[in-house]
């Protein structure tokens, strides 16, 4: 089943985010290589693809996991959680309707 993972950044998270970004991306690449990643990316803090020093307010990941518990465990072990980038992480089951 698909699950949505939404991480919400702490204020002024950009420096912390960038310091562990390679590890965060490695985990996403593994999901992608396994064919389990539907999409992933950050929320720019301003209306721009490159927000510069404004940074980001969080991230969205949609991926396949065997259960809500597995998705939650994966999210909880993210480097952004361990380094304090995220103030909160939500994990919810997701039913894809479109595109078909």
């Amino acid at each position: 089943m698909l699950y949505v993972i939404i991480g919400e950044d702490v204020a002024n998270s950009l420096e912390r985010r960038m310091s562990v970004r390679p590890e965060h991306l490695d985990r996403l690449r593994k999901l992608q290589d396994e064919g389990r990643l539907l999409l992933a990316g950050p929320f720019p803090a301003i209306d721009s693809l490159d927000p510069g020093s404004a940074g980001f307010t969080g991230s969205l990941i949609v991926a396949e996991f065997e259960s809500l518990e597995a998705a939650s465990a994966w999210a909880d072990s993210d480097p952004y959680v361990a380094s304090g980038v995220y103030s909160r992480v939500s994990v919810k089951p997701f039913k894809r309707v479109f595109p078909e």
Side-chain angles (χ1 to χ4, degrees):
M1 180 164 192
L2 293 174
Y3 294 87
V4 172
I5 300 169
I6 299 174
E8 298 176 32
D9 282 24
V10 298
N12 302 310
S13 64
L14 186 58
E15 187 175 323
R16 276 189 242 178
R17 179 182 268 272
M18 297 311 291
S19 72
V20 294
R21 185 171 187 259
E23 293 89 354
H24 173 77
L25 294 180
D26 284 345
R27 296 178 82 234
L28 291 170
R29 280 190 196 94
K30 183 176 180 198
L31 285 178
Q32 180 176 309
D33 291 347
E34 294 169 354
R36 297 171 43 206
L37 182 64
L38 188 62
L39 65 94
F43 301 122
I46 60 173
D47 190 12
S48 173
L49 291 177
D50 181 5
S53 62
F56 301 92
T57 62
S59 302
L60 170 74
I61 299 166
V62 181
E64 184 178 343
F65 292 92
E66 61 189 47
S67 65
L68 179 58
E69 293 78 17
S72 295
W74 187 91
D76 289 344
S77 64
D78 193 285
Y80 284 176
V81 171
S83 67
V85 171
Y86 291 155
S87 62
R88 178 182 166 185
V89 177
S90 302
V91 180
K92 298 180 180 188
F94 178 73
K95 180 181 175 186
R96 179 179 172 164
V97 176
F98 291 101
E100 295 180 30

